[in-house]
Amino acid sequence: MNQIEGNNDRAVFYGRWVLRWRIPILILSVLVVLAAGRGARNLGFSDDSRLFFSEDNPQLEAFEALEDIYTKTDNILFVLASEDGDVFTRNTLAAVEDLVREAWQIPFAQRVDGLTNFQHTEADGDDLLVQDLISDAASASPEELEKARRVALSEPLLVNRLVSAEGHVTGVNVRLQFPGEAVTEKAASGQAALAAAARIQADYPGLTVRLTGDAVMSLAFSEHSQQDMETLMPLMYGAIILATLLLLRSVSGTFATVLVIGASMATVLGLTGWSGAPLTPPSSMAPTMIMTLAVADSVHILVTMLREMRLGRGKQDAIVESLRVNLQPVFLTTLTTAIGFLSMNFSDSPPFRHLGNMTAVGVVVAFILAVSTLPALMSILPVRPGRARSTGSTIMDRLGGFVVSRRRPLLWGSTVTVLALGFFVPRNELNDNFLEYFDPSVPFRQATDFTTDNLTGIYTVYFSVEAAESGGISDPAYLRKLDEFAEWYRTRPGVVQVTSLTQVMKRLNRSMHGDDPAFYSLPETRDLAAQYLLLYEMSLPYGLDLNDQINVDKSATKVSVVLKGDLTTVEVRAIADAGREWLLANAPGHMVATGAGSTVVFSHIMKRNRDKMITGTLIAFLLVSAVLVLALKSKTLGALSLLPNIVPAIMAFGFWGLMVGRVNMGLTMVVTMTIGIVVDDTVHFLSKYLRARREKGLGAQDAVRYAFSSVGTALLFTSVILIIGFAILAQSAFDLNGGMGKLTAVTIALALATDFLFLPPLLIHLDEWLAARAAKRAARRSVKGSQELNPTPA
């Protein structure tokens, strides 16, 4: 009791101190927020997908090593489809030819491949003729068009890569080399590509041009994240303002709350800008989360203040009383929420670390403002508290009475519900499909779906296959094994197309034998293969060399395996691992290679993220447990309080397993994110319950009723505001945000239900059990004492 009184005395002293120095506090708050907020000018949005990976990511290291040997793999793919269903017409091929020329002007373009500039080889007597498949398509003769069709549809390097097998869709692929000097590089390339596509579509009637590719996907990630910030944040702000006004029934209280929210967001964005960290798709959600979380502290303080004023206290005394009652629980909820978000530093993906750190800082800033600036501001603003309601007439009073009277059915019913939903948790498959991050209404998703259905895939796995020595790629034994590897991959499910040096060598061998189809095979000797390759390379124009397939000293070649666009990360990993296993079982040791590429890196990131976040979540639970035990000064209540914090996550993921069944990268963060959030309700309820037991001397049942009466309304409305906020985020067309919003909203709703319907019966049951155990001990002591006073005669 002395400790509680000491805490109360300090809280009262602090409250009076805030009121005494309210003007300096307000001036200092404005200056600090303005100084921090100026850093927001330095913020930039990065669309570099590699920011998702940590520096020690082994798949990223393999990918970067591959690009150091060959060329970069970032690309933009223009997909052209004609209304007449035939790309081998003057109009369509002229458009392709025009687009190829313009695509070279796209910023950072390193190579452009299309049907028209495909380097076709054919015999010219004893010479090898290497030239564009078709030139000046607008005036091409029917014979030239038919020849282009025949060559293209029989060329493995083109079919299912730059032309469909039916010849109804074609593509122009632009390889990009980003220097990484500015965050706007991909945006610049993307805007130029959009302009080129629009012009081609306008200049060539009956033609539709779509855009996809790695660079376009990265651009879509950043664009939709920025779009969420621009559209969802104002919507959430409006919803929060309206909900706060309805709850508080106080214009000045709502105004002060909005200022705290805005100042918290401005401070965090400014500090992020000063730090030099870029905004990324995940970290761009931080302002939205801060906005949603910051309102809780302010609401708890204002609800108590207004209630005390309605009961007859003066405004200044009501502010002091509110701080006395709420300072400790608000501090605890801030601390536990910050712990939850800081544990996201265990994530293998830096943008999620940034999200956790930004939100944690925002929550702390919101707490400081809520317990200093907010009461200082309310002390000088006019406040109309309204009339007090009669005791026992509120919904929360009735709910408290219902829970107490139905405590046993509620306890058992809640337990059964938890177990039932927990049964479906294992149904969640840790899997991902990055294409499905985008809603089908998103242009990038539509273009990519069309591409995968009609032309080629957008996922690629690369293998750098070593030869035994410099120049060894011309060794017939090496080429035969490389060809076996490529042919094996072409038979695998999910594989759309495979590109390897052996296709070029077969075509050269055929051309050097008078274009006789019987010679579409690998050269029989090393010298012959080397001569063919040298002759071919010397004939290629600038920008269309073989550097993307062959390393400098010709000791390794790259095999590219294009995959279907609807594959999940688990399937991608399986296909990539199968390639290495085949080489281990069938090829010499020097040819064994591991699949690499951005597709492979992304396919592993969720598994790596999940494994590390398990550690982060366990540590967060331990820290939160320690905080609650120390704060509640009871090991029993501290341990008991973990149940209503764990249960919502179990039920939420059980519900998700029942309704959806797939957990993507964003959803692996939800448990860690919501640990601190769901603790909020538990801490506030327990703090009021303990205050009733320790200060007012109430029994467990009356203490539960008191907790409902004093804090139930605030818990209901803060939870509703949180649910509304994350439900609005759930409307995002970008599923990394939308899915996280949905599952978080579900978790918070279940947390509220748990704290209202499960925790109170549990507290009463615990009190009854402790009382019964104490009674038994007392009875045993009484019996023992009686026996000692009246020993049994021998």
Side-chain angles (χ1 to χ4, degrees):
M1 185 64 119
N2 292 334
Q3 182 66 41
I4 295 174
E5 290 175 351
N7 289 338
N8 289 338
D9 290 342
R10 286 192 291 270
V12 169
F13 173 81
Y14 172 76
R16 290 171 178 166
W17 179 86
V18 168
L19 294 179
R20 179 182 178 186
W21 298 98
R22 57 186 179 274
I23 300 302
I25 286 173
L26 291 173
I27 294 173
L28 182 61
S29 299
V30 171
L31 293 176
V32 170
V33 172
L34 288 177
R38 284 175 62 85
R41 298 176 303 174
N42 304 323
L43 282 175
F45 205 101
S46 176
D47 52 21
D48 185 358
S49 59
R50 301 190 189 201
L51 289 174
F52 277 86
F53 315 123
S54 58
E55 293 181 358
D56 61 347
N57 186 302
Q59 288 79 34
L60 179 62
E61 291 175 354
F63 180 32
E64 290 178 337
L66 182 85
E67 292 193 327
D68 287 341
I69 298 173
Y70 307 99
T71 56
K72 298 286 186 180
T73 59
D74 287 310
N75 78 305
I76 293 175
L77 179 63
F78 294 86
V79 180
L80 297 85
S82 176
E83 287 181 355
D84 57 16
D86 183 10
V87 301
F88 295 99
T89 62
R90 292 190 185 95
N91 184 65
T92 302
L93 290 180
V96 171
E97 198 172 18
D98 191 358
L99 181 56
V100 166
R101 284 193 298 269
E102 183 163 347
W104 280 108
Q105 307 305 314
I106 292 176
F108 313 110
Q110 184 186 39
R111 177 183 177 121
V112 181
D113 290 293
L115 274 181
T116 56
N117 71 332
F118 173 71
Q119 296 306 290
H120 173 55
T121 61
E122 58 183 342
D124 184 13
D126 293 332
D127 296 328
L128 177 67
L129 186 63
V130 182
Q131 60 185 3
D132 290 349
L133 179 59
I134 193 165
S135 299
D136 194 14
S139 58
S141 65
E143 292 74 21
E144 289 173 323
L145 295 174
E146 184 56 35
K147 178 184 177 182
R149 179 197 301 275
R150 185 179 66 254
V151 170
L153 296 184
S154 62
E155 177 52 61
L157 286 172
L158 290 178
V159 176
N160 293 332
R161 177 170 170 261
L162 292 179
V163 67
S164 62
E166 298 81 10
H168 71 301
V169 175
T170 186
V172 173
N173 190 57
V174 185
R175 191 71 54 80
L176 303 162
Q177 176 85 40
F178 295 112
E181 297 173 354
V183 297
T184 57
E185 290 171 355
K186 287 187 178 179
S189 296
Q191 294 302 321
L194 285 170
R199 187 190 68 79
I200 293 296
Q201 189 162 296
D203 291 350
Y204 295 88
L207 202 63
T208 302
V209 184
R210 297 173 174 86
L211 284 177
T212 186
D214 296 333
V216 182
M217 176 184 282
S218 297
L219 189 60
F221 266 68
S222 62
E223 285 181 345
H224 283 280
S225 297
Q226 293 181 72
Q227 183 177 323
D228 284 352
M229 290 182 66
E230 295 168 359
T231 59
L232 296 184
M233 280 184 61
L235 186 60
M236 290 179 67
Y237 223 139
I240 287 173
I241 292 172
L242 179 60
T244 306
L245 185 61
L246 291 174
L247 163 65
L248 300 176
R249 292 178 290 148
S250 168
V251 175
S252 57
T254 303
F255 173 72
T257 302
V258 170
L259 285 183
V260 168
I261 296 171
S264 303
M265 290 193 300
T267 302
V268 171
L269 289 175
L271 292 175
T272 304
W274 286 122
S275 73
L279 283 179
T280 57
S283 66
S284 67
M285 292 186 290
T288 303
M289 292 186 175
I290 294 168
M291 181 194 311
T292 306
L293 295 170
V295 72
D297 295 344
S298 301
V299 165
H300 281 290
I301 291 172
L302 290 171
V303 164
T304 303
M305 184 197 85
L306 293 170
R307 186 182 72 240
E308 293 299 320
M309 291 181 68
R310 289 168 188 145
L311 293 176
R313 285 184 187 262
K315 182 169 67 172
Q316 310 296 336
D317 290 339
I319 291 173
V320 172
E321 175 64 11
S322 180
L323 288 174
R324 184 187 78 85
V325 171
N326 290 298
L327 189 59
Q328 184 187 41
V330 167
F331 170 75
L332 289 176
T333 57
T334 298
L335 180 59
T336 55
T337 302
I339 288 172
F341 280 98
L342 287 174
S343 66
M344 292 174 70
N345 280 283
F346 284 88
S347 171
D348 192 59
S349 183
F352 284 103
R353 299 177 205 162
H354 297 161
L355 170 63
N357 292 333
M358 290 173 67
T359 308
V361 171
V363 169
V364 172
V365 171
F367 164 75
I368 295 172
L369 294 173
V371 299
S372 60
T373 309
L374 178 72
L377 183 60
M378 291 304 297
S379 71
I380 62 176
L381 289 176
V383 179
R384 294 182 179 178
R387 290 178 297 179
R389 296 177 182 178
S390 58
T391 305
S393 64
T394 67
I395 294 176
M396 283 301 146
D397 289 332
R398 292 195 292 272
L399 179 59
F402 170 79
V403 170
V404 169
S405 63
R406 298 286 189 273
R407 57 187 180 276
R408 287 185 176 80
L410 286 174
L411 182 60
W412 286 109
S414 299
T415 302
V416 170
T417 301
V418 173
L419 293 175
L421 286 175
F423 176 78
F424 295 101
V425 172
R427 289 191 59 182
N428 286 298
E429 180 185 13
L430 291 168
N431 211 343
D432 225 337
N433 183 324
F434 298 109
L435 184 58
E436 293 180 359
Y437 278 175
F438 303 95
D439 188 81
S441 63
V442 174
F444 166 74
R445 171 71 182 275
Q446 294 175 347
T448 305
D449 285 342
F450 179 85
T451 301
T452 55
D453 290 341
N454 294 277
L455 180 60
T456 189
I458 62 166
Y459 301 147
T460 307
V461 178
Y462 303 98
F463 291 86
S464 180
V465 184
E466 298 279 347
E469 57 186 334
S470 177
I473 63 172
S474 299
D475 183 357
Y478 170 84
L479 289 173
R480 284 194 296 272
K481 189 57 65 177
L482 191 70
D483 195 45
E484 287 179 29
F485 180 54
E487 287 296 335
W488 171 81
Y489 245 133
R490 292 186 183 103
T491 65
R492 303 291 297 176
V495 174
V496 175
Q497 204 243 15
V498 180
T499 301
S500 74
L501 177 65
T502 57
Q503 294 163 311
V504 175
M505 299 302 294
K506 288 179 180 180
R507 180 156 52 88
L508 291 173
N509 192 49
R510 180 185 63 193
S511 296
M512 295 305 293
H513 287 83
D515 291 325
D516 186 348
F519 286 90
Y520 188 75
S521 59
L522 295 171
E524 296 180 356
T525 68
R526 177 169 179 164
D527 288 343
L528 192 60
Q531 290 173 14
Y532 287 171
L533 193 57
L534 177 62
L535 183 61
Y536 181 62
E537 287 186 297
M538 291 176 62
S539 304
L540 292 173
Y542 173 78
L544 295 178
D545 52 43
L546 294 178
N547 289 342
D548 63 334
Q549 292 188 58
I550 303 173
N551 69 347
V552 175
D553 67 347
K554 293 181 171 52
S555 63
T557 65
K558 184 174 72 176
V559 176
S560 303
V561 183
V562 181
L563 309 178
K564 291 181 179 179
D566 59 353
L567 296 181
T568 64
T569 53
V570 171
E571 293 168 329
V572 169
R573 289 200 302 269
I575 291 174
D577 293 344
R580 177 176 174 80
E581 292 169 2
W582 189 94
L583 290 171
L584 281 168
N586 299 281
H590 61 80
M591 292 185 70
V592 175
T594 300
S598 61
T599 299
V600 176
V601 186
F602 270 109
S603 72
H604 280 269
I605 186 64
M606 191 181 74
K607 181 177 182 296
R608 288 175 55 83
N609 205 55
R610 176 202 64 188
D611 294 343
K612 292 193 175 184
M613 286 312 302
I614 289 175
T615 302
T617 301
L618 290 175
I619 291 176
F621 267 121
L622 290 174
L623 289 175
V624 169
S625 302
V627 167
L628 293 178
V629 168
L630 291 173
L632 299 175
K633 298 176 179 61
S634 167
K635 292 181 181 180
T636 303
L637 283 179
L640 182 72
S641 66
L642 286 179
L643 278 177
N645 299 329
I646 297 173
V647 160
I650 294 174
M651 290 195 294
F653 275 91
F655 176 79
W656 196 263
L658 179 63
M659 303 302 296
V660 181
R662 179 184 291 181
V663 175
N664 63 29
M665 183 168 63
L667 299 186
T668 61
M669 315 299 297
V670 169
V671 173
T672 307
M673 281 172 41
T674 55
I675 287 174
I677 299 175
V678 300
V679 168
D680 189 326
D681 292 351
T682 306
V683 167
H684 279 287
F685 194 94
L686 282 175
S687 69
K688 301 303 184 291
Y689 173 83
L690 290 175
R691 188 175 296 277
R693 297 297 306 271
R694 294 169 179 174
E695 288 187 15
K696 299 180 180 296
L698 299 178
Q701 296 184 23
D702 289 335
V704 165
R705 291 189 179 95
Y706 173 81
F708 271 103
S709 176
S710 60
V711 80
T713 301
L715 292 184
L716 175 63
F717 275 83
T718 53
S719 296
V720 168
I721 290 172
L722 288 168
I723 292 167
I724 289 173
F726 283 103
I728 291 174
L729 181 63
Q731 304 310 306
S732 171
F734 184 48
D735 194 51
L736 193 66
N737 294 352
M740 188 181 293
K742 292 172 187 174
L743 187 55
T744 304
V746 169
T747 303
I748 294 172
L750 291 172
L752 178 66
T754 300
D755 284 311
F756 276 0
L757 304 178
F758 178 65
L759 177 60
L762 197 61
L763 289 172
I764 297 173
H765 178 76
L766 175 66
D767 181 76
E768 292 173 346
W769 178 76
L770 290 174
R773 190 173 68 168
K776 289 180 180 179
R777 287 178 178 175
R780 284 197 296 268
R781 286 196 298 269
S782 176
V783 170
K784 184 177 180 181
S786 175
Q787 291 175 343
E788 290 175 349
L789 291 174
N790 302 289
T792 303

